Amino acid sequence: HSEKKPVRLTAYASSMLHFKANKYWLTQFHGNWAKEVDMQEQYLTTGMKILDSKLGVRANMLQSPMFLLALDQPAEEENGEVLAGTLAWTGNFKFGFEVDEHNNLHINAGINPYASDYTLKPGEVFTTPAFIFTLSAKGKGQASRNFHHWALDYGILDGHTPRLTLLNNWEATGMDFNEQRLTSLFGGAKKLGVDLFLLDDGWFANKFPRNADNAGLGDWEPNTSKLPHGLGYLVKEAQKQDIKFGIWLEPEMVNPKSELYTKHPDWVLRLPNRPENYYRHQMVLDLTNPAVQDFVYGVVDKTLSENPGIAYIKWDCNRMLTNTYSPYLKEQQSHLFIDYVRSLYKVLDRVRAKYPHLPIMLCSGGGGRTDYGALKYFTEFWPSDNTDGLERIYIQYGYSHFFPANSISAHVTNWGGQSLKFRTDVAMMDKLGYDIKVDDFTEKELQFSHDAVATYSRIRDIVWYGNLYRLVSPYKENRAVFQYTSNDQRQTILFNYLMNIGKNDAFAPVKLRGLDP
């Protein structure tokens, strides 16, 4: 702006859309940890309906920043007029849906202005995040396919680059491991035929060792008791098995029980006149502070530059903002929610300037960060910590309305009582991975899993880059049926699941879609 004095912004929408129809039906995606993106559809009556988040970080833990709007009738999969919309912002969001006295609908979408008045200096620019939407005349299915193809081209990092199939150690070891135990798992990765071994939480900190989630966050040096030869040794040992090596980081967070907290208490977000508030025994670093931005970037850069060959990062973020105060912002506390997100993007810009194509998974206590503001920096995201095969069908079904299959990480684990084949099939519908103790497999299970990885390599291009048709919804029947069809309409893969053992309608006919007759 060109005023002589600062201007105070109290609201800042990214868009305002107007509709005229007889009726409006809104589908929202909400939940909690391990219950992400549960779908609810409701008829909008006169007045205002708000979907929003005030959590700051891990912003869509409870309410996901995306929605479907159907005009005149409830949303159908392959017919009807449907708008699909989402906000490219990794912080507080607000969607307002107002049906006025003339039965017009107004949709206001943008950053949530809650506790976020923003003072703009003369000449300073305030840019609202993109509201990304598509209007389909052929139901939810076409809206989703529009999003998938757009995202592969523009929304996620390197959308057309093959993803790595990985084996994670978390379910096998937790934080209880040493060099020998880890390197013994590399053989399992080799037997499976996966591309990469991912070392999860618990590998760092010495004065306050990371043996549980109550200590060590912020002290990003390898724990010498567990890893006396450092990460570089693990990288080389993995390479000897022809396996790539990846690492877990949570660089935005700190445990009070850490050297970082002791040295820099002024780097932590906390109200000075209140007791410290912990979630998972940790607090959030003040990313609005440029010194903290340098530190967070330095964690990533040091880990990669000192251990050449690290081929993958899992970037985690396990808590939200509470009792929040920034020592750096001083008199501008209402800038915090917005400036934190902008500061995160600044750090990620620096990471990508130096490491433009390194695969990085976006994780946030499960599905706490799933938005196109962040995904342009990441190759994939972790949709939920819940890997029960049956419940994952609902979770992956929900996310499939906005995100392409190669961006949704899906791991085979021991969660759930389903067969290994059932759990593997569910994971093969998105970006396949494993988080399981391979040594516990029977010979038959190992052979099946090895063959599944080979099969996945053969079919993955159709799953990742083709067209998804959700033929039967698990919300409507006792089964779920998904079809992936190649863009040339010549090949297709069908996934058919029985969702309720007590029912026998799993094999009712389905009509295939998207194929050349």
Side-chain angles (χ1 to χ4, degrees), residues 44-61:
L44 291 178
T45 57
T46 304
M48 180 72 83
K49 166 80 174 181
I50 300 290
L51 306 178
D52 73 344
S53 167
K54 303 182 181 76
L55 298 178
V57 178
R58 202 176 168 189
N60 60 298
M61 175 181 171

Side-chain angles (χ1 to χ4, degrees), residues 203 218-221 247-253 260 285 292-305 307 313 315 347 351:
W203 58 269
D219 302 344
W220 296 101
E221 72 282 342
I247 195 74
W248 179 94
L249 295 171
E250 192 178 4
E252 300 163 68
M253 302 287 160
L260 179 68
L285 292 175
V292 176
Q293 294 171 35
D294 290 342
F295 170 79
V296 172
Y297 168 75
V299 169
V300 180
D301 185 43
K302 185 170 184 279
T303 303
L304 293 172
S305 59
N307 306 284
I313 287 176
W315 184 304
V347 172
V351 170

Side-chain angles (χ1 to χ4, degrees), residues 176-212:
D176 181 18
F177 55 78
N178 55 31
E179 272 181 357
Q180 187 176 2
R181 193 167 183 197
L182 290 178
T183 53
S184 71
L185 297 177
F186 296 167
K190 179 68 174 175
K191 290 174 187 174
L192 273 179
V194 298
D195 304 303
L196 179 131
F197 179 87
L198 172 63
L199 174 57
D200 214 295
D201 196 356
W203 58 269
F204 52 91
N206 287 293
K207 186 173 181 181
F208 303 97
R210 182 69 167 179
N211 297 321

Side-chain angles (χ1 to χ4, degrees), residues 417-448:
Q418 310 86 29
S419 69
L420 178 60
K421 167 149 176 64
F422 188 104
R423 288 175 279 132
T424 303
D425 286 354
V426 173
M428 287 172 72
M429 292 197 301
D430 288 306
K431 206 226 80 171
L432 175 67
Y434 286 83
D435 192 345
I436 203 162
K437 197 171 181 181
V438 178
D439 288 346
D440 287 348
F441 277 161
T442 65
E443 193 173 326
K444 188 176 180 181
E445 288 172 333
L446 180 59
Q447 186 62 51
F448 167 80

